[in-house]
Amino acid sequence: MNRDWIATARTLAEALPYLQRFSNSLVVVKFGGNAMGDDDAMAEFARDMVLMRQVGVNPVVVHGGGPMINDMLKKLGIVSEWVRGKRVTDKATVEVVEMILSGLVNKRIVQAINDEGGRAVGISGKDDDLMVCVADDPELGFVGRPVEMNVQVIRDLCAAGIIPVIAPVATGMADNETFNVNGDTAAGAIAGALKADRLLLLTDVPGVKGKDGEVLTQITPEQVREMIADGTIAGGMIPKTETALAALDQGVRAVVILDGRLPNASLLELFTEHGAGSIIRS
Ligand code: X2W
């Protein structure tokens, strides 16, 4: 017999304790624009979500799409500026953000999951007032900070066997406001409000690096705070780890920062002894 099949069967058998541990759990997966590859990589991500659902996990996908927004802004001749990792968002920009995130990117993921035999429904933070925001900072324009979360719609979708796919676009406190929310911020707020068992932040780096550049597999929130203070955690990893700390404070059991470009990244993390990336928990 082909040895690969024996290994496959063994892998499945070894996954039993993990399958049992995560049965009925709620896992929020942030799928960043930089982690989204070509159609094959998208199909593989979708398959992972469908497999999770099949084995009794409730995956909730929150996506980004920064690079796709950049492409469209460029075509339209709109220039973007960034302040502290967030896109300065004027009226014209927020319209493009909503079109690209709620339209193009959201539906691409929904379609990929459905093509793999799952049932995905795409919504944004506007649907059922899931995520209500105020302006994060006057300097940033229509960038939202979530202040009120109404996550019942997510519970309802999960209970119906559906995988929610959420675009980080939100409504405001006043009528007719639209906010652009950083994808990590949105995923953290949603995971926090759901008190999720896991928040997986799929990105394009292997995890949180220590002083010597090695990827740290397990870190405590205290260590993260120290590493931000002493500059070991820098750049784009700051908002990610701050999101992780806020989510843990709200009752998420653990946050994992991992490379979404790895084959079957989410499955590797949840269902194998090895795990993937950096896990942050007390
Ligand atoms: C992001 C939303 C998309 C996002 C933006 O405009 O690009 C802000 O910066 P990634 O792919 O996860 O980076 N919003 C406020 O977060 O996408």
Side-chain angles (χ1 to χ4, degrees):
M1 199 195 299
N2 184 324
R3 285 175 141 261
D4 281 353
W5 293 112
I6 296 173
T8 305
R10 178 170 305 137
T11 304
L12 270 172
E14 284 172 356
L16 178 63
Y18 302 97
L19 294 172
Q20 287 168 328
R21 183 192 301 167
F22 286 108
S23 177
N24 264 321
S25 66
L26 205 147
V27 177
V28 175
V29 183
K30 157 73 198 309
F31 192 30
N34 287 319
M36 289 170 209
D38 55 12
D39 287 345
D40 287 344
M42 178 62 82
E44 190 174 84
F45 169 81
R47 226 164 15 245
D48 286 1
M49 296 305 113
V50 175
L51 192 143
M52 279 162 72
R53 181 71 236 187
Q54 190 71 39
V55 298
V57 175
N58 296 288
V60 174
V61 178
V62 181
H63 63 83
M68 296 78 186
I69 299 168
N70 291 342
D71 287 348
M72 184 52 77
L73 288 174
K74 208 166 161 191
K75 281 186 197 159
L76 296 170
I78 301 172
V79 180
S80 256
E81 279 178 37
W82 294 81
V83 173
R84 290 181 293 280
K86 290 176 184 168
R87 187 191 306 276
V88 178
T89 304
D90 62 9
K91 186 87 181 119
T93 303
V94 83
E95 286 182 359
V96 175
V97 167
E98 183 165 34
M99 281 192 268
I100 295 299
L101 293 183
S102 273
L104 203 70
V105 179
N106 187 273
K107 297 314 162 199
R108 185 174 175 223
I109 299 169
V110 164
Q111 193 172 27
I113 293 174
N114 294 339
D115 285 348
E116 296 302 325
R119 292 183 65 207
V121 169
I123 60 173
S124 81
K126 285 189 174 178
D127 290 86
D128 205 27
D129 277 343
L130 165 60
M131 187 163 57
V132 184
C133 285
V134 294
D136 191 25
D137 178 337
E139 215 184 325
L140 297 174
F142 297 104
V143 169
R145 176 161 51 84
V147 287
E148 188 192 304
M149 305 298 295
N150 300 296
V151 288
Q152 188 59 40
V153 62
I154 300 180
R155 295 192 201 285
D156 291 345
L157 290 169
C158 288
I162 290 166
I163 302 174
V165 177
I166 304 161
V169 174
T171 198
M173 304 292 270
D175 286 351
N176 218 5
E177 279 181 318
T178 301
F179 283 110
N180 174 14
V181 186
N182 171 274
D184 292 331
T185 307
I190 290 167
L194 289 164
K195 301 207 183 301
D197 296 281
R198 284 279 184 287
L199 167 60
L200 307 184
L201 296 173
L202 300 189
T203 180
D204 59 350
V205 293
V208 180
K209 289 185 177 158
K211 279 203 167 50
D212 306 324
E214 76 291 9
V215 173
L216 304 171
T217 52
Q218 291 221 34
I219 346 174
T220 64
E222 293 70 35
Q223 285 171 315
V224 170
R225 282 189 195 97
E226 281 165 23
M227 288 165 67
I228 292 175
D230 72 14
T232 308
I233 292 178
M237 201 44 86
I238 296 177
K240 273 193 203 310
T241 45
E242 285 179 340
T243 295
L245 295 178
L248 291 168
D249 273 349
Q250 288 175 60
V252 173
R253 278 176 31 201
V255 182
V256 188
I257 299 176
L258 68 165
D259 193 342
R261 301 165 309 172
L262 273 180
N264 309 108
S266 307
L267 304 186
L268 184 64
E269 167 50 30
L270 292 179
F271 301 130
T272 72
E273 193 185 331
H274 184 269
S278 305
I279 186 160
I280 309 172
R281 67 175 149 204
S282 304

